[in-house]
C-alpha cells in the first residue's frame, strides 16, 4: 500500500513537469487523492480528488499515476482504511483523449 500510494516515480515527475509547462491554466486536473498530493508538491498545482467516471468533468485533465497504471486500480480511503478499486480504463479511452504517455503515467483531456 505505502509504495503504491506514496512513492513518486521518475515518470510521474516528468509528467508533472509537463503539466506545469503545458496545461491550460483554466482547465482543472482530476486525480486520485494520493496523486493530487504529488502534483501539488512537485508542480504547485491543485488537483480535484476523484477518478470515478460519474465525477469526471468533461473539460478536465485526468492524471493516472504509475500505480494506477501498473496495478490497474485506484486507492481511496473508506472509513479510514485504504480500499483498492479496479479502474474502468475503457471509460477514459472512450470519453477522453490521451495527450501524454511516458509509460509510467498518462494524462487525458
Amino acid at each position: 500500500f505505502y509504495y503504491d500510494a506514496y512513492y513518486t516515480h521518475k515518470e510521474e515527475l516528468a509528467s508533472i513537469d509537463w503539466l506545469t509547462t503545458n496545461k491550460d491554466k483554466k482547465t482543472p486536473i482530476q486525480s486520485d487523492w494520493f496523486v493530487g498530493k504529488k502534483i501539488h508538491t512537485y508542480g504547485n498545482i491543485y488537483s480535484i480528488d476523484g477518478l470515478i467516471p460519474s465525477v469526471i468533468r468533461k473539460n478536465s485533465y485526468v492524471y493516472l499515476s504509475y500505480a494506477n497504471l501498473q496495478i490497474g486500480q485506484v486507492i481511496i480511503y473508506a472509513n479510514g482504511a485504504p480500499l483498492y478499486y479496479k479502474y474502468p480504463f475503457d471509460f477514459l479511452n472512450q470519453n477522453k483523449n490521451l495527450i501524454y504517455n511516458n509509460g509510467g503515467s498518462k494524462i487525458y483531456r
Side-chain angles (χ1 to χ4, degrees):
F1 163 76
Y2 292 102
Y3 178 80
D4 292 337
Y6 295 110
Y7 185 81
T8 304
H9 295 267
K10 66 181 179 183
E11 295 90 351
E12 293 170 325
L13 293 172
S15 59
I16 292 168
D17 184 55
W18 184 89
L19 266 177
T20 60
T21 304
N22 295 291
K23 95 172 218 48
D24 176 3
K25 306 234 184 283
K26 295 180 181 178
T27 304
I29 302 168
Q30 291 186 250
S31 67
D32 69 39
W33 186 87
F34 297 99
V35 174
K37 300 306 175 204
K38 294 177 186 181
I39 293 170
H40 182 250
T41 298
Y42 296 105
N44 200 28
I45 302 170
Y46 287 98
S47 170
I48 299 168
D49 179 22
L51 287 179
I52 297 169
S54 63
V55 301
I56 291 180
R57 299 176 184 189
K58 188 170 188 118
N59 184 34
S60 71
Y61 294 97
V62 175
Y63 184 100
L64 297 177
S65 70
Y66 186 90
N68 297 148
L69 298 172
Q70 296 304 311
I71 64 174
Q73 298 180 358
V74 174
I75 307 166
I76 60 171
Y77 268 113
N79 298 322
L83 174 69
Y84 287 78
Y85 73 90
K86 184 176 167 117
Y87 194 75
F89 293 102
D90 286 343
F91 171 82
L92 288 179
N93 293 327
Q94 293 170 4
N95 294 283
K96 293 281 194 179
N97 295 313
L98 179 64
I99 61 169
Y100 183 90
N101 179 3
N102 64 12
S105 61
K106 289 183 178 181
I107 301 170
Y108 289 83
R109 178 154 189 208

